[in-house]
Amino acid sequence: MHRGKGMKFVGDSRVPAEKKPNIPKDYSEFPGKTEAFWPNFLLKEWLVGAVFLIGFLCMATAYPASLEGVADPTDSAYIPLPDWYFLFLYQLLKYQFASGDFELIGNVVIPGIAFGALLIAPWLDNGPERRPSRRPIATAMMMLGTIATIYLTWESVEEHDWEAAEEQGEIITDDDIIEVDQDARGYEIYEEQGCIECHGDQMEGAGAAGPDLYDLPYGAEDIAEIAVEGIGDMPAGLFDGDDEELEVLSEYIEANGQPDDGDDGEEDDDEDDNGDDEEDE
Amino acid sequence: MLQRIYDWVDERMDITPLWRDIADHEVPEHVNPAHHFSAFIYCFGGLTFFVTVIQILSGMFLTMYYVPDIINAYESVYYLQSEVAFGAIVRAMHHWGASVVIVMMFLHTLRVFFTGAYKKPRELNWVVGVLIFFVMLGLGLTGYLLPWDMKAYFATVVALEIMETVPIIGESLRTLLQGGEIVGAQTLARFFAIHVFFLPGALLGLLAAHFIMIRRQGISGPL
């Protein structure tokens, strides 16, 4: 490069007035079949990129990103799960040697060593050998780390209750909620007996705690039985009122929270009608 | 015409050396899949960058609809997903891109490790690469909360709880990220800021360093 006195610049700038010719290097002088990045290689690379992009777009179109119901901090029964690339850490913390009293091992020591070693790998494995087979310790360590990560992710996926996860967090839109009659005696009992805690204040369900109670395939008697004896994940013995209350409650639920008369369930109840009610639906 | 524009700019800026530096680097035979098919392992780095570009572009489009507050965040994502033309596809690209970028980066890391490419004189570039990995994980963590749906919310609660158990810095770290007593409005605002401004800023800086170093040193030779 030209330096010192006699240099010419463009105007009063520091850009040299002397132009360099814009010619590519001569790649025939390079070893092997070396080729130029621009434009030769970039064209081929773009071909690979285009194929990749098409595959990626097909995937994005075929599998939309999932969206669950809006965040509800009060739903304590929700089983959380981080995105898949954090599962290995999440799984690690579940093991006994890495949780509880040994929490430090799971959240600081093991990840610290693993990621720390990754960060300073060039100084841990500082010999000149590059072939994996000639540096067995480094190779073994990396293999171990990779296998452990894959294994932990796998285990976490295995252990997760995907069926339960499928049901929880579903989107509840306003259309799905039926306004129940909150002045009815049935609702009072529904509230008192604690059904409301798992089935929501509009019987719309409460996430993972309990499903909605709309349009049940049961008659009032079956519902009464479920209330006392439980069903599936719903524990038995939740109802502890008297028989008459149980009847009002089950009829209220059967009627989707819209009893005909509103305020007073008592006058209207005739047990024999149960069969007919079912047919109404 | 183009040539005249180029010459005009070149006269004032002397851009030829810059251009030759970007365009005129050799692609050796051992990394070129056209000559050795097994050299496809050298593509992972490039694909990581490619997906990163997809992430940046799709993310920019997402912010045209996304509203980072707890009342509207979910609604805006729902609207984007169900009403906006191509909204679901752009969101799916950003969603899957986040996973693909991690996979590609993982493969790229393994390639660099097992070809011993991080050895002298490329130690610093390896360190920058690992930092990029951390930034990407941070982007994944903060981005996951933004749709403000059930899985986002509870995954974040768990992540913050785990962070809190780290001795000494744990609690301050949680406060810093959470921005209050509970995971709520402040948390969403902070995660948004971190996801959209802080980490991408760091990422662009690190990527620049990564690429400048590659240009400077050239790609590592055959084994």
Side-chain angles (χ1 to χ4, degrees):
Chain A
M1 212 231 252
H2 188 100
R3 285 169 186 276
K5 278 203 178 138
M7 269 193 82
K8 293 204 176 65
F9 296 105
V10 179
D12 63 350
S13 79
R14 299 284 95 191
V15 176
E18 219 174 288
K19 287 292 104 186
K20 286 176 208 67
N22 189 0
I23 36 171
K25 285 184 209 162
D26 182 3
Y27 285 96
S28 56
E29 293 297 316
F30 280 73
K33 294 177 192 143
T34 298
E35 63 183 358
F37 174 73
W38 175 277
N40 309 27
F41 187 68
L42 194 67
L43 273 177
K44 292 183 204 162
E45 206 173 39
W46 177 240
L47 225 67
V48 177
V51 172
F52 180 85
L53 185 65
I54 291 172
F56 182 71
L57 280 176
C58 288
M59 177 169 84
T61 316
Y63 301 98
S66 75
L67 186 64
E68 295 187 345
V70 64
D72 172 12
T74 60
D75 183 354
S76 54
Y78 190 89
I79 316 166
L81 192 72
D83 215 351
W84 66 269
Y85 39 86
F86 289 113
L87 286 181
F88 68 102
L89 275 177
Y90 189 57
Q91 180 69 10
L92 181 65
L93 289 166
K94 284 190 190 161
Y95 292 112
Q96 234 164 25
F97 62 84
S99 55
D101 291 345
F102 306 110
E103 208 172 51
L104 262 188
I105 296 184
N107 64 16
V108 179
V109 178
I110 296 181
I113 290 178
F115 285 116
L118 194 70
L119 195 63
I120 59 167
W123 292 277
L124 296 177
D125 170 30
N126 55 7
E129 267 312 330
R130 282 182 50 205
R131 284 179 180 281
S133 53
R134 301 255 179 84
R135 44 191 179 101
I137 300 180
T139 307
M141 285 301 177
M142 192 61 169
M143 294 271 229
L144 192 73
T146 308
I147 292 172
T149 309
I150 294 175
Y151 171 79
L152 285 172
T153 307
W154 180 270
E155 277 296 293
S156 180
V157 170
E158 280 288 275
E159 271 178 30
H160 189 62
D161 188 346
W162 291 102
E163 266 174 41
E166 186 91 356
E167 280 166 27
Q168 66 183 1
E170 267 175 67
I171 299 179
I172 303 173
T173 57
D174 289 344
D175 309 339
D176 294 338
I177 297 178
I178 302 176
E179 288 270 319
V180 299
D181 182 355
Q182 304 202 353
D183 299 325
R185 176 128 186 279
Y187 191 79
E188 209 175 279
I189 302 170
Y190 177 77
E191 212 173 355
E192 255 167 36
Q193 296 294 338
C195 315
I196 193 166
E197 268 151 42
C198 299
H199 294 291
D201 59 0
Q202 302 286 346
M203 307 201 325
E204 79 279 25
D212 68 88
L213 297 180
Y214 301 137
D215 299 323
L216 294 177
Y218 314 112
E221 270 165 37
D222 301 317
I223 295 175
E225 202 182 305
I226 292 171
V228 176
E229 287 170 14
I231 179 174
D233 292 335
M234 175 173 154
L238 285 173
F239 185 86
D240 67 347
D242 57 33
D243 285 353
E244 184 262 323
E245 279 175 336
L246 183 59
E247 204 184 301
V248 177
L249 173 64
S250 44
E251 273 166 19
Y252 175 79
I253 291 175
E254 191 197 15
N256 283 343
Q258 326 280 337
D260 308 329
D261 60 314
D263 235 11
D264 207 307
E266 262 172 291
E267 288 166 21
D268 192 47
D269 66 13
D270 5 14
E271 288 161 64
D272 319 306
D273 277 355
N274 284 344
D276 301 355
D277 287 353
E278 269 164 82
E279 277 162 36
D280 287 346
E281 291 180 30
Chain B
M1 181 66 196
L2 267 181
Q3 191 58 44
R4 296 220 350 243
I5 295 176
Y6 180 88
D7 289 342
W8 190 89
V9 176
D10 189 43
E11 188 195 344
R12 285 157 181 79
M13 297 292 166
D14 195 21
I15 56 175
T16 295
L18 207 73
W19 167 241
R20 293 270 44 118
D21 203 44
I22 295 171
D24 227 1
H25 55 269
E26 66 280 9
V27 179
E29 186 181 332
H30 74 283
V31 304
N32 194 336
H35 300 306
H36 302 280
F37 182 69
S38 61
F40 74 86
I41 56 169
Y42 287 90
C43 281
F44 295 142
L47 286 177
T48 308
F49 178 62
F50 188 53
V51 183
T52 306
V53 172
I54 292 181
Q55 288 305 88
I56 293 173
L57 291 178
S58 58
M60 281 172 9
F61 279 101
L62 288 181
T63 56
M64 293 176 121
Y65 286 91
Y66 181 75
V67 185
D69 78 62
I70 55 173
I71 315 254
N72 298 307
Y74 180 79
E75 294 298 327
S76 65
V77 176
Y78 189 83
Y79 178 76
L80 176 83
Q81 177 95 3
S82 50
E83 308 282 334
V84 179
F86 303 115
I89 294 182
V90 173
R91 182 163 172 254
M93 283 172 72
H94 205 68
H95 173 91
W96 293 113
S99 294
V100 174
V101 94
I102 301 265
V103 172
M104 288 301 159
M105 208 164 40
F106 187 64
L107 294 174
H108 177 59
T109 308
L110 290 182
R111 191 284 283 171
V112 171
F113 188 88
F114 286 117
T115 54
Y118 58 91
K119 299 199 164 233
K120 190 184 174 191
R122 298 189 173 79
E123 300 98 321
L124 282 180
N125 215 3
W126 169 267
V127 172
V128 169
V130 176
L131 292 180
I132 291 178
F133 205 133
F134 293 160
V135 170
M136 288 289 190
L137 288 179
L139 281 164
L141 185 82
T142 49
Y144 203 59
L145 177 70
L146 301 185
W148 200 249
D149 64 351
M150 291 294 272
K151 60 175 164 27
Y153 183 86
F154 285 100
T156 304
V157 170
V158 172
L160 289 172
E161 274 167 5
I162 292 175
M163 264 178 226
E164 198 179 15
T165 61
V166 175
I168 308 171
I169 57 162
E171 268 171 52
S172 338
L173 190 64
R174 178 168 185 177
T175 313
L176 178 71
L177 289 175
Q178 186 167 288
E181 296 289 295
I182 51 157
V183 177
Q186 277 284 354
T187 322
L188 185 63
R190 288 195 180 188
F191 273 47
F192 179 74
I194 294 171
H195 186 80
V196 173
F197 297 108
F198 289 80
L199 289 181
L203 183 70
L204 290 180
L206 288 169
L207 282 179
H210 207 60
F211 295 157
I212 289 171
M213 283 192 243
I214 301 173
R215 263 302 57 73
R216 194 94 191 151
Q217 302 177 321
I219 203 159
S220 59
L223 277 180

